[in-house]
Amino acid sequence: MSVLEKLLSARWFVKAVNKEEYYQVKDEIGKYQSLLSEKLGYHIIVNPYVIKLEKIPAVPENWMGIAEFNEPMDYVFFCLTLMFLEDKEIEGQFILSQLTEFMQSTWKQSDIDWKIYQNRRCLVKVLKYCVKCGILQVYDGSEDSFKNDSQADVLYLNTGVSRYFMRNFTKDITGFTSAEDFIGEDWFGLDEDRGIIRRQRVYRRLLMSMGMERTEETEEDFAYIRTYGKKNIEKDFSELLDCELQVYRNQAFLVLSEDSNMGRCFPETNTLSDIALLIAHMIRDMVGSGKLEPDRQDRIYIDENQFLDIIETCKKTYQSGFAKLYREMTAKEFCRVVMEYLTQMELIGKEEGRIRIRAAFCRIVGVYPENFEA
């Protein structure tokens, strides 16, 4: 994996966690400065503790957020942990009870009772994530002991990189009310140069999104691709990544080579991705036979129940080729899991009670061989 692929895939590189990788990235980061800073408009943090590329998408995406967190309180506890660490010395130690007392005194919206198992389980999840990404190191004890006993303690070391987790904003964000407000903040002060904003928005869409669709909102961006030229944009990317820019009437896709190892891409090497490819093939067959018809923007709208029927049919037809986990799921559970995956991967969306199938979904399809059951 190249250093650029590492920069685009990882949250950051903590010197205290992996010194060799930290220095490798530091030595080579200069060669990617033009693409990252000028074309994408990304800020690069390099200091004696951490290297971080602040990767901001052009628009809010379903995959944004922390995968390990699935409840609002997970984020509350995480933010309280970051606040607690602000006043701690780098490589300073503290015990878990100090953190829990801080949370109880700081969080005013409701009482935090650590005798409640759900609260302890939630905090343990947050602490394990902090250890995983290098914010904390465990010196003595285990988080799991606190999960079972509210009196249990753990000794931690603060690596000092927690202060770089959150972005530094150029203006007051207290009045922000949506994710779009934060996206726009990244271009604050560039209103006089719409060309820079448009260029960075196009490059971010191509790199960070599951394809770029032509809509009323993106008409200006497609005009930029036509004006600036597909070859020029592809040249900027392909000089550093093994990729190809494919531009169609209503879509544009940055297609990576099979050898690329950059972040999360589709298709993946798992059963859910295989299922998605099988469903995509079924949908393309339905379009070919006239059962489904794309609109002028090549979008397909389908009733949700009809889409669920397609997923169930996929399970009945191909489940003998699935991993055991998916073979043994009920039809309802299978549909729920597949729908969540397709939504997270930005392959489908829901609009006014109907499922919108994005063009990227059916761009790549998969089939099992006729004798796959054998």
Side-chain angles (χ1 to χ4, degrees), residues 263-275:
R264 190 177 187 186
C265 302
F266 181 80
E268 301 177 291
T269 55
N270 57 43
T271 302
L272 266 179
S273 185
D274 292 347
I275 293 169

Side-chain angles (χ1 to χ4, degrees), residues 122-289:
C122 181
L123 179 58
V124 167
K125 184 196 307 181
V126 169
L127 291 171
K128 285 188 173 183
Y129 174 76
C130 290
V131 172
K132 175 185 175 182
C133 66
I135 292 175
L136 298 176
Q137 291 181 354
V138 178
Y139 249 46
D140 188 31
S142 169
E143 296 92 349
D144 290 326
S145 60
F146 175 74
K147 187 191 298 185
N148 299 320
D149 180 7
S150 62
Q151 300 300 314
D153 236 327
V154 185
L155 179 62
Y156 289 101
L157 179 141
N158 172 32
T159 63
V161 301
S162 61
R163 64 191 65 182
Y164 305 107
F165 190 92
M166 304 293 287
R167 289 172 55 197
N168 289 321
F169 297 101
T170 56
K171 62 178 180 179
D172 185 7
I173 64 172
T174 54
F176 286 7
T177 58
S178 67
E180 286 78 7
D181 293 334
F182 287 91
I183 297 294
E185 191 276 341
D186 202 41
W187 289 301
F188 178 69
L190 291 177
D191 292 342
E192 70 282 359
D193 197 338
R194 292 177 55 83
I196 294 177
I197 297 176
R198 181 173 60 174
R199 180 185 68 208
Q200 293 179 357
R201 187 173 61 233
V202 168
Y203 276 69
R204 289 183 187 187
R205 280 183 180 272
L206 292 172
L207 184 65
M208 305 292 283
S209 300
M210 186 68 75
M212 178 177 164
E213 293 187 337
R214 184 178 180 181
T215 63
E216 291 182 4
E217 291 76 18
T218 62
E219 187 64 48
E220 182 181 342
D221 294 345
F222 265 87
Y224 176 83
I225 294 177
R226 289 193 297 268
T227 303
Y228 187 60
K230 168 184 177 295
K231 289 185 178 180
N232 291 323
I233 298 174
E234 185 176 60
K235 180 175 179 291
D236 288 334
F237 281 117
S238 61
E239 284 181 347
L240 301 172
L241 296 169
D242 189 1
C243 64
E244 175 189 358
L245 177 61
Q246 297 182 2
V247 181
Y248 302 91
R249 182 182 61 179
N250 293 312
Q251 299 89 29
F253 303 97
L254 189 66
V255 181
L256 302 176
S257 73
E258 292 185 9
D259 296 329
S260 177
N261 196 13
M262 187 185 71
R264 190 177 187 186
C265 302
F266 181 80
E268 301 177 291
T269 55
N270 57 43
T271 302
L272 266 179
S273 185
D274 292 347
I275 293 169
L277 293 173
L278 292 168
I279 294 173
H281 185 266
M282 295 170 66
I283 292 172
R284 286 193 61 154
D285 281 349
M286 295 175 72
V287 172
S289 62

